[in-house]
Amino acid sequence: MEADQLPSWRDESLSTVKRAALWLVAEVGEGSVFTKAQLRDAFPDIAQIDRRMRDLRDYGWQIDTRREDPHLEAHEQRFTQAGDPVWAPGTAKRQRTGSVSAVQRREVFLRDDYICRSCGIAAGARYSDDSYESAQLDIARRIVVKPGGEESVELVAECNRCRVGGRALVADLGKLLAGIDSLGALERRVFVGWIKADKRELALIERLWGEYRSLPAESRDAVRETLRSDS
Ligand SMILES: [Zn+2]
């Protein structure tokens, strides 16, 4: 991009988003770091210049903060890559990177087997406590804490009810893996079976327990008698 052929970022007839983009190109340069103070000095009269700068991301501009690049200080950002020339007429916003495309939605639903991953209800099924409302699946963003402690946001199918109730849900993958690690060999095998079936089937031991509990007293005694040597 030839900076000297571009409109001036000082031209106050241009919109703030355009001026911010031009300032990045002319004064900062791709790949360079700038500070909040520098940005504010360049645009002293513009409230929320930080936010206008972030709007550039909708046009494919990559501006990293400490969140994307831990090497940056809290007051620094990096103009990593220029996006669409917002100063040119007719430059349309790109789809926000944060929004979920129709293709992504279909992929998530398919992968999650068209059930709500929070309560297990299937798309279109009626909630058991209310025969008139049926479940509609939507995409939720789940914060997942990885075993290393870093957080990521992953997409999951969730029904309308759970979405309302579970916005702050954070999945702790490290804790779950540690819990699985603490299982005994038998429990672990059962757990693997549930994962394969993607549902919790009654384990043999639970079926046997149910059958034992429903036995008449005499027969329960007979079972106890058989197991006497184990206790
Ligand atoms: Zn649900």
Side-chain angles (χ1 to χ4, degrees):
M1 215 173 306
E2 294 292 321
D4 53 357
Q5 294 168 6
L6 296 174
S8 167
W9 64 269
R10 296 175 197 276
D11 182 350
E12 293 184 6
S13 70
L14 297 174
S15 71
T16 305
V17 172
K18 291 178 182 179
R19 292 183 62 201
L22 291 164
W23 178 77
L24 284 175
V25 172
E27 305 293 331
V28 180
E30 264 185 1
S32 297
V33 171
F34 61 96
T35 65
K36 282 183 183 165
Q38 287 172 321
L39 182 60
R40 258 183 257 119
D41 285 349
F43 300 94
D45 302 325
I46 293 168
Q48 298 187 310
I49 181 66
D50 274 356
R51 191 175 291 189
R52 297 289 81 75
M53 185 67 91
R54 280 201 296 275
D55 287 346
L56 280 172
R57 292 173 171 169
D58 291 346
Y59 298 91
W61 290 63
Q62 193 186 341
I63 299 157
D64 292 337
T65 64
R66 196 177 193 170
R67 206 186 318 171
E68 291 82 24
D69 182 349
H71 298 299
L72 293 169
E73 301 288 333
H75 65 283
E76 292 177 331
Q77 296 180 63
R78 177 178 285 110
F79 168 34
T80 306
Q81 200 174 18
D84 300 336
V86 288
W87 49 83
T91 303
K93 275 191 187 186
R94 293 184 186 180
Q95 187 174 46
R96 272 179 181 275
T97 46
S99 75
V100 182
S101 70
V103 174
Q104 266 180 310
R105 284 175 68 86
R106 275 198 301 277
E107 277 172 2
V108 172
F109 288 154
L110 190 66
R111 205 182 53 196
D112 284 346
D113 215 15
Y114 296 92
I115 64 171
C116 168
R117 286 286 143 184
S118 295
C119 71
I121 197 166
R126 296 249 158 101
Y127 290 104
S128 54
D129 62 339
D130 176 352
S131 55
Y132 295 106
E133 195 189 357
S134 58
Q136 287 168 22
L137 291 189
D138 204 343
I139 304 291
R141 291 185 168 76
R142 184 80 79 245
I143 297 170
V144 178
V145 183
K146 302 284 181 136
E150 72 275 27
E151 290 184 359
S152 71
V153 177
E154 297 175 11
L155 301 178
V156 67
E158 203 167 57
C159 75
N160 37 330
R161 274 198 186 175
C162 289
R163 263 175 67 77
V164 174
R167 288 195 189 283
L169 205 60
V170 175
D172 193 333
L173 186 58
K175 204 169 151 194
L176 172 64
L177 291 173
I180 292 171
D181 218 38
S182 73
L183 294 176
L186 174 64
E187 290 172 309
R188 200 182 166 90
R189 214 161 46 233
V190 170
F191 193 79
V192 169
W194 291 345
I195 289 176
K196 275 190 191 145
D198 196 25
K199 69 176 184 216
R200 183 176 175 275
E201 286 163 340
L202 277 189
L204 176 60
I205 189 170
E206 289 172 300
R207 274 208 308 276
L208 295 175
W209 172 248
E211 285 174 32
Y212 163 77
R213 285 273 286 180
S214 63
L215 287 174
E218 269 178 85
S219 297
R220 290 203 304 278
D221 284 345
V223 174
R224 261 205 300 275
E225 193 61 35
T226 309
L227 292 172
R228 187 192 290 278
S229 62
D230 292 75
S231 55

